[in-house]
Amino acid sequence: MAGIYIHIPFCKQACYYCDFHFSTSLKKKGDLLWALKKELQRRKKDLQDQTVETIYFGGGTPSLLTVQELKGLIDEVYRNFKVASHPEITLEANPDDLVSEKAQPETTVKAYKEIGINRLSIGIQSFFEDDLKSMNRAHTANEAKRCLETATKHFNNITIDLIYGIPNMSLEKWQNNLQQAFAFGINHISSYALTVEPKTALERFIKKGDYPPINDALAQEHFNCLVAATQEQGFVHYEISNFGKPNYFSKHNTSYWQGKPYLGIGPSAHSFSGQVRSWNVANNTKYIKGLMAGKLPRTVETLSVADRYNEYVMTGLRTIWGISLNKVTQDFGETFKEHLLHEAEVFMQQDLLAIALQDSHVAKDHAERLVITEKGKFLADGIASQLFYIN
Protein backbone atom coordinates (compact mmCIF):
# COMPACT_ATOMS: atom_id res chain seq x y z
CA MET A 1 0.00 0.00 0.00
CA ALA A 2 1.15 3.54 -0.71
CA GLY A 3 0.01 7.14 -0.40
CA ILE A 4 0.01 10.24 -2.59
CA TYR A 5 0.47 13.71 -1.15
CA ILE A 6 -0.45 16.69 -3.37
CA HIS A 7 0.93 20.06 -2.29
CA ILE A 8 -1.22 23.09 -3.11
CA PRO A 9 1.18 26.04 -2.59
CA PHE A 10 -1.29 28.91 -2.23
CA CYS A 11 -2.54 30.87 0.79
CA LYS A 12 -4.61 34.01 1.25
CA GLN A 13 -2.07 35.41 3.68
CA ALA A 14 1.02 34.29 5.57
CA CYS A 15 0.60 32.98 9.12
CA TYR A 16 3.39 34.43 11.25
CA TYR A 17 4.67 31.03 12.44
CA CYS A 18 4.55 29.14 9.12
CA ASP A 19 7.67 27.99 7.24
CA PHE A 20 5.93 25.77 4.65
CA HIS A 21 6.29 26.60 0.96
CA PHE A 22 3.42 28.76 -0.33
CA SER A 23 2.57 31.85 -2.35
CA THR A 24 -0.09 34.47 -1.63
CA SER A 25 -0.48 35.11 -5.38
CA LEU A 26 -2.84 32.90 -7.38
CA LYS A 27 -1.60 34.17 -10.76
CA LYS A 28 0.07 30.87 -11.60
CA LYS A 29 -2.76 28.65 -10.35
CA GLY A 30 -3.75 27.42 -13.82
CA ASP A 31 -0.19 26.55 -14.79
CA LEU A 32 0.41 24.93 -11.42
CA LEU A 33 -2.65 22.68 -11.78
CA TRP A 34 -1.40 21.62 -15.22
CA ALA A 35 2.03 20.87 -13.76
CA LEU A 36 0.57 18.79 -10.91
CA LYS A 37 -1.29 16.63 -13.42
CA LYS A 38 1.82 16.33 -15.58
CA GLU A 39 3.87 15.17 -12.59
CA LEU A 40 1.23 12.57 -11.73
CA GLN A 41 1.49 11.27 -15.31
CA ARG A 42 5.30 11.24 -15.28
CA ARG A 43 5.53 9.38 -11.99
CA LYS A 44 2.95 6.64 -12.43
CA LYS A 45 5.76 4.08 -12.77
CA ASP A 46 7.04 5.01 -9.32
CA LEU A 47 4.13 3.14 -7.73
CA GLN A 48 3.40 0.65 -10.51
CA ASP A 49 3.49 -2.30 -8.11
CA GLN A 50 1.64 -0.49 -5.32
CA THR A 51 -2.00 0.20 -4.54
CA VAL A 52 -2.73 3.79 -3.52
CA GLU A 53 -4.67 3.67 -0.30
CA THR A 54 -4.54 7.37 0.67
CA ILE A 55 -4.63 10.70 -1.17
CA TYR A 56 -3.85 13.81 0.83
CA PHE A 57 -4.28 17.43 -0.30
CA GLY A 58 -1.97 19.60 1.83
CA GLY A 59 -0.44 23.02 1.58
CA GLY A 60 -0.64 25.87 1.58
CA THR A 61 -4.41 25.96 1.53
CA PRO A 62 -6.00 23.31 -0.74
CA SER A 63 -9.48 24.66 0.01
CA LEU A 64 -8.59 27.68 -2.15
CA LEU A 65 -9.12 25.40 -5.15
CA THR A 66 -12.61 24.97 -6.57
CA VAL A 67 -14.41 21.66 -6.22
CA GLN A 68 -13.93 21.02 -9.95
CA GLU A 69 -10.19 21.73 -9.72
CA LEU A 70 -9.88 19.24 -6.87
CA LYS A 71 -11.94 16.70 -8.81
CA GLY A 72 -9.60 17.10 -11.78
CA LEU A 73 -6.63 16.15 -9.62
CA ILE A 74 -8.42 13.20 -8.03
CA ASP A 75 -9.43 11.96 -11.49
CA GLU A 76 -5.80 12.24 -12.63
CA VAL A 77 -4.70 10.03 -9.75
CA TYR A 78 -7.25 7.39 -10.75
CA ARG A 79 -6.17 7.57 -14.39
CA ASN A 80 -2.52 6.92 -13.59
CA PHE A 81 -2.45 4.72 -10.49
CA LYS A 82 -4.09 1.63 -9.07
CA VAL A 83 -6.30 3.01 -6.29
CA ALA A 84 -7.88 1.02 -3.45
CA SER A 85 -11.65 0.56 -3.56
CA HIS A 86 -12.19 2.84 -0.55
CA PRO A 87 -9.17 5.16 -0.27
CA GLU A 88 -8.85 7.75 2.46
CA ILE A 89 -8.95 11.12 0.66
CA THR A 90 -8.13 14.07 2.93
CA LEU A 91 -8.52 17.76 2.18
CA GLU A 92 -6.89 20.41 4.33
CA ALA A 93 -9.29 23.35 4.61
CA ASN A 94 -9.41 26.71 6.32
CA PRO A 95 -12.66 27.80 8.00
CA ASP A 96 -12.93 31.04 6.04
CA ASP A 97 -12.95 29.22 2.70
CA LEU A 98 -16.06 27.34 3.76
CA VAL A 99 -18.08 30.04 5.50
CA SER A 100 -17.00 33.39 4.06
CA GLU A 101 -19.65 35.67 2.55
CA LYS A 102 -18.87 34.27 -0.94
CA ALA A 103 -18.91 30.65 0.16
CA GLN A 104 -21.98 28.42 0.31
CA PRO A 105 -21.07 26.14 3.19
CA GLU A 106 -23.68 23.42 2.73
CA THR A 107 -23.18 23.27 -1.04
CA THR A 108 -19.38 23.25 -0.84
CA VAL A 109 -19.09 20.62 1.89
CA LYS A 110 -21.60 18.34 0.14
CA ALA A 111 -19.69 18.78 -3.13
CA TYR A 112 -16.45 17.70 -1.46
CA LYS A 113 -18.12 14.47 -0.44
CA GLU A 114 -19.56 13.91 -3.91
CA ILE A 115 -16.11 13.99 -5.57
CA GLY A 116 -14.70 11.39 -3.17
CA ILE A 117 -13.19 13.43 -0.35
CA ASN A 118 -14.04 11.59 2.87
CA ARG A 119 -11.85 13.28 5.46
CA LEU A 120 -11.46 16.98 6.30
CA SER A 121 -8.46 18.47 8.09
CA ILE A 122 -9.55 21.90 9.29
CA GLY A 123 -7.03 24.48 10.47
CA ILE A 124 -8.86 25.88 13.48
CA GLN A 125 -5.70 26.60 15.59
CA SER A 126 -7.76 28.42 18.25
CA PHE A 127 -11.36 29.34 19.03
CA PHE A 128 -10.26 32.74 20.41
CA GLU A 129 -10.08 35.90 18.33
CA ASP A 130 -6.95 37.34 19.98
CA ASP A 131 -4.98 34.14 19.33
CA LEU A 132 -5.99 34.07 15.67
CA LYS A 133 -4.99 37.70 15.19
CA SER A 134 -1.65 37.16 16.92
CA MET A 135 -0.88 34.36 14.43
CA ASN A 136 -2.27 36.30 11.44
CA ARG A 137 -4.81 33.61 10.63
CA ALA A 138 -7.25 34.50 7.84
CA HIS A 139 -10.37 33.29 9.68
CA THR A 140 -12.23 34.54 12.74
CA ALA A 141 -13.29 32.65 15.85
CA ASN A 142 -16.90 32.83 14.68
CA GLU A 143 -15.97 31.34 11.30
CA ALA A 144 -14.16 28.49 13.08
CA LYS A 145 -17.35 27.56 14.93
CA ARG A 146 -19.67 28.05 11.95
CA CYS A 147 -17.39 25.93 9.80
CA LEU A 148 -17.52 23.01 12.22
CA GLU A 149 -21.29 23.33 12.60
CA THR A 150 -21.59 22.75 8.85
CA ALA A 151 -18.79 20.23 8.36
CA THR A 152 -19.96 17.90 11.14
CA LYS A 153 -23.39 17.60 9.50
CA HIS A 154 -21.86 15.94 6.45
CA PHE A 155 -18.51 14.47 7.58
CA ASN A 156 -17.86 12.10 10.44
CA ASN A 157 -14.13 11.84 9.74
CA ILE A 158 -12.84 15.29 10.66
CA THR A 159 -9.58 16.33 12.25
CA ILE A 160 -8.82 19.82 13.48
CA ASP A 161 -5.50 21.53 14.22
CA LEU A 162 -5.02 23.31 17.53
CA ILE A 163 -1.90 25.20 18.64
CA TYR A 164 -0.77 25.24 22.27
CA GLY A 165 2.08 27.01 24.04
CA ILE A 166 0.98 30.43 22.82
CA PRO A 167 2.66 32.98 25.14
CA ASN A 168 0.36 34.30 27.86
CA MET A 169 -2.32 31.70 27.10
CA SER A 170 -3.70 30.57 30.46
CA LEU A 171 -4.31 26.91 31.21
CA GLU A 172 -8.00 27.71 31.58
CA LYS A 173 -8.09 29.23 28.09
CA TRP A 174 -6.34 26.18 26.61
CA GLN A 175 -8.82 23.89 28.37
CA ASN A 176 -11.63 25.98 26.89
CA ASN A 177 -10.18 25.42 23.40
CA LEU A 178 -10.21 21.66 23.96
CA GLN A 179 -13.72 21.62 25.40
CA GLN A 180 -15.06 23.49 22.37
CA ALA A 181 -13.47 20.88 20.10
CA PHE A 182 -15.02 18.05 22.12
CA ALA A 183 -18.43 19.75 22.03
CA PHE A 184 -18.47 19.49 18.23
CA GLY A 185 -17.93 15.73 18.44
CA ILE A 186 -14.58 15.86 16.66
CA ASN A 187 -12.99 12.40 16.39
CA HIS A 188 -9.40 13.46 15.71
CA ILE A 189 -7.18 16.32 16.88
CA SER A 190 -3.71 17.25 15.69
CA SER A 191 -2.09 19.59 18.17
CA TYR A 192 1.29 21.28 17.98
CA ALA A 193 3.30 23.59 20.18
CA LEU A 194 3.87 27.05 18.78
CA THR A 195 7.47 26.97 17.58
CA VAL A 196 9.78 29.64 16.21
CA GLU A 197 10.99 28.55 12.78
CA PRO A 198 13.94 30.32 11.11
CA LYS A 199 13.16 33.20 8.76
CA THR A 200 9.50 33.45 9.79
CA ALA A 201 7.71 36.64 10.80
CA LEU A 202 7.35 35.21 14.31
CA GLU A 203 11.12 34.93 14.67
CA ARG A 204 11.55 38.55 13.60
CA PHE A 205 8.86 39.78 16.00
CA ILE A 206 10.43 37.99 18.97
CA LYS A 207 13.90 39.31 18.16
CA LYS A 208 12.52 42.85 17.98
CA GLY A 209 10.64 42.41 21.25
CA ASP A 210 7.27 42.80 19.54
CA TYR A 211 6.12 39.34 20.60
CA PRO A 212 6.70 37.45 23.85
CA PRO A 213 9.31 34.67 23.73
CA ILE A 214 8.15 31.04 23.70
CA ASN A 215 7.72 29.58 27.19
CA ASP A 216 8.68 25.87 27.15
CA ALA A 217 7.31 25.30 30.65
CA LEU A 218 3.93 26.70 29.60
CA ALA A 219 3.95 24.51 26.48
CA GLN A 220 4.62 21.41 28.58
CA GLU A 221 1.79 22.34 30.96
CA HIS A 222 -0.57 22.68 27.98
CA PHE A 223 0.69 19.38 26.52
CA ASN A 224 0.06 17.51 29.78
CA CYS A 225 -3.45 18.96 29.91
CA LEU A 226 -4.02 17.95 26.28
CA VAL A 227 -2.97 14.34 26.93
CA ALA A 228 -5.19 14.03 30.01
CA ALA A 229 -8.24 15.74 28.48
CA THR A 230 -8.22 13.74 25.24
CA GLN A 231 -7.76 10.47 27.13
CA GLU A 232 -10.78 11.31 29.25
CA GLN A 233 -12.79 11.83 26.06
CA GLY A 234 -11.82 8.43 24.62
CA PHE A 235 -9.06 9.53 22.27
CA VAL A 236 -5.96 7.39 21.71
CA HIS A 237 -2.69 9.32 21.81
CA TYR A 238 -1.24 7.37 18.89
CA GLU A 239 1.45 9.86 17.83
CA ILE A 240 3.04 12.69 19.82
CA SER A 241 0.95 15.37 18.08
CA ASN A 242 -2.05 13.25 17.09
CA PHE A 243 -5.06 12.07 19.05
CA GLY A 244 -7.77 9.94 17.47
CA LYS A 245 -10.70 7.92 18.61
CA PRO A 246 -10.56 4.23 17.58
CA ASN A 247 -11.02 3.84 13.78
CA TYR A 248 -10.26 7.53 13.22
CA PHE A 249 -6.46 7.50 13.07
CA SER A 250 -5.04 9.25 9.99
CA LYS A 251 -4.21 6.42 7.58
CA HIS A 252 -2.09 8.75 5.44
CA ASN A 253 0.11 10.12 8.20
CA THR A 254 0.36 6.71 9.84
CA SER A 255 1.86 5.40 6.60
CA TYR A 256 4.63 8.01 6.95
CA TRP A 257 5.40 6.93 10.50
CA GLN A 258 5.41 3.25 9.56
CA GLY A 259 7.79 3.73 6.65
CA LYS A 260 5.38 2.96 3.78
CA PRO A 261 6.21 4.41 0.33
CA TYR A 262 4.53 7.61 -0.79
CA LEU A 263 4.70 10.12 -3.63
CA GLY A 264 4.86 13.83 -3.00
CA ILE A 265 3.40 15.81 -5.90
CA GLY A 266 3.95 19.56 -6.29
CA PRO A 267 6.59 22.15 -5.39
CA SER A 268 8.52 21.30 -2.18
CA ALA A 269 6.76 17.92 -1.85
CA HIS A 270 8.80 14.96 -0.55
CA SER A 271 8.65 11.33 -1.71
CA PHE A 272 9.93 8.10 -0.16
CA SER A 273 10.35 4.64 -1.68
CA GLY A 274 11.84 2.83 1.31
CA GLN A 275 15.41 3.23 0.07
CA VAL A 276 15.32 6.59 -1.72
CA ARG A 277 14.03 9.99 -0.64
CA SER A 278 13.45 12.88 -3.02
CA TRP A 279 12.04 16.38 -2.82
CA ASN A 280 10.80 18.78 -5.48
CA VAL A 281 12.11 22.31 -5.88
CA ALA A 282 10.40 24.73 -3.47
CA ASN A 283 9.68 27.33 -6.15
CA ASN A 284 6.44 27.48 -8.13
CA THR A 285 7.95 29.02 -11.27
CA LYS A 286 10.89 26.59 -11.43
CA TYR A 287 8.57 23.66 -10.78
CA ILE A 288 6.20 24.67 -13.59
CA LYS A 289 8.98 25.50 -16.07
CA GLY A 290 10.75 22.22 -15.35
CA LEU A 291 7.67 20.16 -16.15
CA MET A 292 6.96 22.25 -19.24
CA ALA A 293 10.46 21.34 -20.39
CA GLY A 294 9.80 17.66 -19.76
CA LYS A 295 11.83 17.49 -16.56
CA LEU A 296 11.02 17.21 -12.87
CA PRO A 297 13.21 19.60 -10.85
CA ARG A 298 13.97 17.60 -7.73
CA THR A 299 16.78 16.34 -5.52
CA VAL A 300 17.23 12.59 -4.99
CA GLU A 301 19.01 10.97 -2.05
CA THR A 302 19.71 7.27 -1.56
CA LEU A 303 19.54 6.55 2.15
CA SER A 304 22.26 4.61 3.90
CA VAL A 305 21.43 1.86 6.38
CA ALA A 306 22.20 4.30 9.21
CA ASP A 307 19.93 6.93 7.63
CA ARG A 308 17.04 4.48 7.44
CA TYR A 309 17.61 3.29 11.00
CA ASN A 310 17.71 6.87 12.31
CA GLU A 311 14.52 7.73 10.48
CA TYR A 312 12.76 4.65 11.85
CA VAL A 313 13.86 5.55 15.37
CA MET A 314 12.66 9.15 15.01
CA THR A 315 9.23 8.27 13.61
CA GLY A 316 8.70 5.07 15.58
CA LEU A 317 9.39 6.58 18.97
CA ARG A 318 6.74 9.25 18.36
CA THR A 319 4.01 6.61 18.01
CA ILE A 320 2.26 4.01 20.14
CA TRP A 321 3.79 1.36 17.89
CA GLY A 322 7.25 2.27 19.13
CA ILE A 323 10.43 0.69 17.77
CA SER A 324 10.19 -3.03 17.06
CA LEU A 325 13.37 -4.74 18.21
CA ASN A 326 12.73 -7.55 15.71
CA LYS A 327 12.43 -5.05 12.86
CA VAL A 328 15.66 -3.33 13.87
CA THR A 329 17.49 -6.66 13.77
CA GLN A 330 15.90 -7.82 10.51
CA ASP A 331 16.16 -4.55 8.59
CA PHE A 332 19.39 -3.08 9.96
CA GLY A 333 21.32 -5.83 11.74
CA GLU A 334 22.25 -6.99 15.23
CA THR A 335 24.80 -4.17 15.64
CA PHE A 336 22.02 -1.58 15.40
CA LYS A 337 19.87 -3.40 17.94
CA GLU A 338 22.77 -3.53 20.39
CA HIS A 339 23.44 0.17 19.82
CA LEU A 340 19.76 1.01 20.36
CA LEU A 341 19.47 -0.87 23.65
CA HIS A 342 22.79 0.50 24.92
CA GLU A 343 21.82 4.12 24.21
CA ALA A 344 18.30 3.59 25.55
CA GLU A 345 19.47 2.25 28.92
CA VAL A 346 19.95 5.66 30.55
CA PHE A 347 16.45 6.75 29.47
CA MET A 348 14.90 3.53 30.75
CA GLN A 349 16.53 4.16 34.13
CA GLN A 350 14.86 7.59 34.15
CA ASP A 351 11.47 6.04 33.22
CA LEU A 352 11.43 7.92 29.90
CA LEU A 353 11.62 4.76 27.77
CA ALA A 354 10.42 1.20 28.37
CA ILE A 355 10.46 -2.22 26.73
CA ALA A 356 6.90 -3.41 26.20
CA LEU A 357 4.91 -6.18 24.56
CA GLN A 358 2.21 -4.61 22.41
CA ASP A 359 -0.80 -6.03 20.65
CA SER A 360 -4.46 -5.30 19.78
CA HIS A 361 -4.82 -1.94 17.99
CA VAL A 362 -1.22 -1.07 18.77
CA ALA A 363 0.66 -3.84 16.97
CA LYS A 364 -0.19 -7.03 15.11
CA ASP A 365 2.51 -9.05 16.80
CA HIS A 366 3.63 -9.62 20.37
CA ALA A 367 7.26 -8.69 19.74
CA GLU A 368 9.21 -6.52 22.13
CA ARG A 369 9.15 -2.83 21.33
CA LEU A 370 10.96 0.17 22.71
CA VAL A 371 8.32 2.77 23.56
CA ILE A 372 8.19 6.24 25.01
CA THR A 373 6.58 6.49 28.46
CA GLU A 374 4.01 9.07 29.53
CA LYS A 375 6.78 10.87 31.36
CA GLY A 376 8.94 10.97 28.24
CA LYS A 377 6.38 11.97 25.61
CA PHE A 378 7.05 15.70 25.65
CA LEU A 379 10.78 14.94 25.19
CA ALA A 380 10.37 12.33 22.44
CA ASP A 381 12.31 14.05 19.65
CA GLY A 382 15.25 14.88 21.89
CA ILE A 383 15.40 11.34 23.22
CA ALA A 384 15.19 9.87 19.69
CA SER A 385 18.17 11.94 18.55
CA GLN A 386 20.25 10.39 21.34
CA LEU A 387 19.47 6.92 19.95
CA PHE A 388 20.72 7.72 16.45
CA TYR A 389 23.52 5.70 14.90
CA ILE A 390 26.33 8.06 13.85
CA ASN A 391 28.93 6.63 11.50
Side-chain angles (χ1 to χ4, degrees):
M1 294 293 187
I4 293 180
Y5 171 85
I6 302 177
H7 189 75
I8 308 301
F10 301 116
C11 287
K12 288 181 180 176
Q13 60 192 50
C15 298
Y16 292 148
Y17 56 85
C18 182
D19 70 339
F20 292 144
H21 169 66
F22 67 91
S23 170
T24 54
S25 170
L26 297 179
K27 290 181 180 179
K28 296 183 184 295
K29 187 176 76 165
D31 289 339
L32 193 282
L33 290 170
W34 174 89
L36 292 174
K37 293 177 182 178
K38 183 59 66 174
E39 184 181 359
L40 285 166
Q41 295 164 17
R42 284 180 58 90
R43 303 190 69 186
K44 60 184 177 182
K45 292 182 179 180
D46 290 7
L47 295 179
Q48 60 183 351
D49 298 323
Q50 301 282 340
T51 298
V52 174
E53 129 180 277
T54 63
I55 302 169
Y56 192 104
F57 289 96
T61 311
S63 54
L64 283 177
L65 299 187
T66 67
V67 172
Q68 285 306 308
E69 288 167 342
L70 290 166
K71 182 180 184 299
L73 292 169
I74 292 172
D75 289 347
E76 199 65 43
V77 171
Y78 274 85
R79 275 193 289 269
N80 290 280
F81 299 90
K82 180 183 177 182
V83 181
S85 57
H86 299 287
E88 176 190 85
I89 304 181
T90 302
L91 175 75
E92 288 186 355
N94 277 352
D96 49 298
D97 293 326
L98 300 182
V99 295
S100 66
E101 291 182 5
K102 295 180 180 179
Q104 297 177 305
E106 294 284 346
T107 302
T108 301
V109 173
K110 284 182 181 178
Y112 286 155
K113 205 165 189 178
E114 289 170 359
I115 64 171
I117 293 167
N118 49 34
R119 184 172 184 268
L120 294 179
S121 176
I122 303 177
I124 299 295
Q125 313 308 354
S126 176
F127 289 100
F128 291 93
E129 200 68 38
D130 58 334
D131 294 337
L132 297 172
K133 288 182 179 179
S134 75
M135 293 183 281
N136 201 38
R137 294 292 295 171
H139 68 277
T140 66
N142 185 49
E143 286 174 331
K145 296 168 187 175
R146 286 171 50 213
C147 170
L148 290 179
E149 287 171 0
T150 300
T152 52
K153 290 178 184 177
H154 303 283
F155 280 82
N156 192 34
N157 198 354
I158 295 175
T159 180
I160 67 171
D161 288 349
L162 290 175
I163 291 180
Y164 62 87
I166 298 173
N168 302 325
M169 175 187 275
S170 67
L171 183 60
E172 181 182 6
K173 188 178 182 182
W174 173 238
Q175 290 172 327
N176 193 310
N177 259 325
L178 294 174
Q179 292 305 318
Q180 291 197 61
F182 300 149
F184 281 105
I186 299 301
N187 290 314
H188 190 285
I189 295 173
S190 294
S191 193
Y192 308 91
L194 182 66
T195 55
V196 184
E197 301 295 345
K199 300 180 181 179
T200 59
L202 181 59
E203 182 188 51
R204 294 194 298 273
F205 295 157
I206 291 177
K207 285 183 177 178
K208 290 181 180 179
D210 296 332
Y211 194 91
I214 300 301
N215 184 330
D216 290 337
L218 175 68
Q220 182 159 9
E221 184 180 30
H222 287 177
F223 178 78
N224 293 339
C225 171
L226 169 67
V227 171
T230 50
Q231 183 177 24
E232 187 176 307
Q233 292 291 323
F235 289 77
V236 178
H237 189 190
Y238 71 104
E239 194 272 343
I240 293 299
S241 301
N242 287 271
F243 306 77
K245 291 187 177 179
N247 300 317
Y248 288 96
F249 295 1
S250 168
K251 293 181 181 178
H252 186 83
N253 290 338
T254 296
S255 71
Y256 291 165
W257 304 320
Q258 295 186 335
K260 294 181 181 180
Y262 58 88
L263 280 187
I265 304 297
S268 81
H270 285 233
S271 301
F272 178 66
S273 70
Q275 304 287 335
V276 176
R277 180 172 300 286
S278 65
W279 53 96
N280 295 347
V281 64
N283 182 290
N284 292 358
T285 300
K286 290 181 179 179
Y287 173 76
I288 293 167
K289 286 184 176 179
L291 283 158
M292 284 182 171
K295 300 177 181 179
L296 178 60
R298 61 172 175 162
T299 302
V300 179
E301 175 188 19
T302 300
L303 301 178
S304 67
V305 175
D307 289 335
R308 290 188 286 114
Y309 162 84
N310 291 343
E311 187 157 311
Y312 176 57
V313 167
M314 175 60 77
T315 55
L317 206 61
R318 290 180 61 91
T319 72
I320 56 173
W321 300 283
I323 302 168
S324 167
L325 300 186
N326 281 352
K327 179 177 174 62
V328 171
T329 302
Q330 292 169 6
D331 292 2
F332 312 112
E334 189 66 31
T335 299
F336 283 87
K337 177 182 175 182
E338 292 175 358
H339 168 83
L340 173 66
L341 292 176
H342 179 267
E343 297 300 321
E345 181 62 32
V346 64
F347 298 109
M348 288 193 283
Q349 291 175 1
Q350 298 172 37
D351 192 30
L352 299 174
L353 293 177
I355 299 292
L357 290 174
Q358 298 186 351
D359 51 22
S360 69
H361 66 278
V362 177
K364 294 180 180 179
D365 57 60
H366 296 270
E368 288 186 322
R369 293 167 181 268
L370 183 67
V371 298
I372 200 83
T373 65
E374 286 296 324
K375 181 180 176 182
K377 280 182 177 178
F378 191 71
L379 307 170
D381 288 347
I383 293 172
S385 67
Q386 296 301 310
L387 306 179
F388 286 172
Y389 190 95
I390 310 298
N391 291 325

